[in-house]
């Protein structure tokens, strides 16, 4: 790992993989909960973790880069279940890329337990990991100008659900009526880093 100072009281820790970033995020949350780490925010991304509001960033930079990161512990919370209809306009293209039937795409996707690696892009949007690397798919050559809210999509190693209508270049394989972001809800985001997620099929692909 490599730790880079950001301003006067923040630290950006670069990791070797997404799995290591998730494990580091879990370990930092554990330390904050036990009181051994005083930090205002811990923000994971694809291969980095940002610590904001540190009293002594240089000390933590040395400590974090010289010590190993234990594997992320299993989450005790039950998976969040998202009902999904596998009816996306790119389902056939993903099936061809995977060299399986459309029904098999739905079976594989729904049979996977995902983890929210990090959040971003739009409020409520989580980057979900869990599919084996052989199921990585490229983004669309031409992004759509508008992807509807609730679209279940794939890009690279990630699955995501669009919380609101927005442009996007991910491959759309389904739709859900789950509300990913509700400012009147506490917390507003349904998905948060580290949460487990399962997609539950409704209807037929």
């Amino acid at each position: 790992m490599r730790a880079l100072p950001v301003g006067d009281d923040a630290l950006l820790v670069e990791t070797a993989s997404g799995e290591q970033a998730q494990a580091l995020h879990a370990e930092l949350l554990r330390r904050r909960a036990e009181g051994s780490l005083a930090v205002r925010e811990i923000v994971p991304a694809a291969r980095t973790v940002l610590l904001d509001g540190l009293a002594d960033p240089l000390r933590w930079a040395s400590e974090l880069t010289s010590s190993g990161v234990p594997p992320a512990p299993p989450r005790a919370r039950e998976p969040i279940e998202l009902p999904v209809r596998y009816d996306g306009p790119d389902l056939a293209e993903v099936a061809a890329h995977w060299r399986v039937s459309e029904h098999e795409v739905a079976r594989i996707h729904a049979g996977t337990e995902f983890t929210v690696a990090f959040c971003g892009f739009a409020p409520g949007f989580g980057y979900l990991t869990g599919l084996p690397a052989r199921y990585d798919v490229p983004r669309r050559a031409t992004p759509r100008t508008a992807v509807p809210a609730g679209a279940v999509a794939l890009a690279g190693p990630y699955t995501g659900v669009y919380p609101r209508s927005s442009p996007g270049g991910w491959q759309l394989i389904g739709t859900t009526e789950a509300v990913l972001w509700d400012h009147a809800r506490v917390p507003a985001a349904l998905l948060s880093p580290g949460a487990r997620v399962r997609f539950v099929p409704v209807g037929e692909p």
Side-chain angles (χ1 to χ4, degrees), residues 1-4 12-17 20 24 47-49 65:
M1 294 189 300
R2 185 170 70 147
L4 305 172
L12 183 69
V13 183
E14 297 178 340
T15 65
S17 66
Q20 190 179 37
L24 176 62
R47 292 191 178 183
T48 63
V49 180
T65 55

Side-chain angles (χ1 to χ4, degrees), residues 64-152:
L64 291 174
T65 55
S66 62
S67 61
V69 179
R75 301 275 294 194
R77 179 182 172 188
E78 288 298 308
I80 297 168
E81 293 188 345
L82 301 179
V84 58
R85 186 178 297 276
Y86 288 97
D87 58 359
D90 300 322
L91 185 63
E93 187 172 337
V94 171
H97 186 77
W98 287 5
R99 299 183 179 180
V100 300
S101 68
E102 293 181 22
H103 179 79
E104 186 69 359
V105 170
R107 188 194 67 78
I108 292 168
H109 192 261
T112 301
E113 182 172 282
F114 293 89
T115 300
V116 182
F118 57 98
C119 297
F121 169 63
F125 188 94
Y127 290 78
L128 281 59
T129 58
L131 285 170
R134 65 181 179 276
Y135 295 127
D136 288 7
V137 297
R139 293 170 181 262
R140 289 176 52 84
T142 303
R144 291 180 170 90
T145 55
V147 175
V152 178

Side-chain angles (χ1 to χ4, degrees), residues 123 179-190:
V179 178
L180 279 295
W181 178 267
D182 181 354
H183 63 84
R185 182 174 58 197
V186 180
L190 180 62

Side-chain angles (χ1 to χ4, degrees), residues 9 22 48 51 110 132 198:
D9 60 357
Q22 292 177 45
T48 63
L51 294 89
R198 280 195 175 276

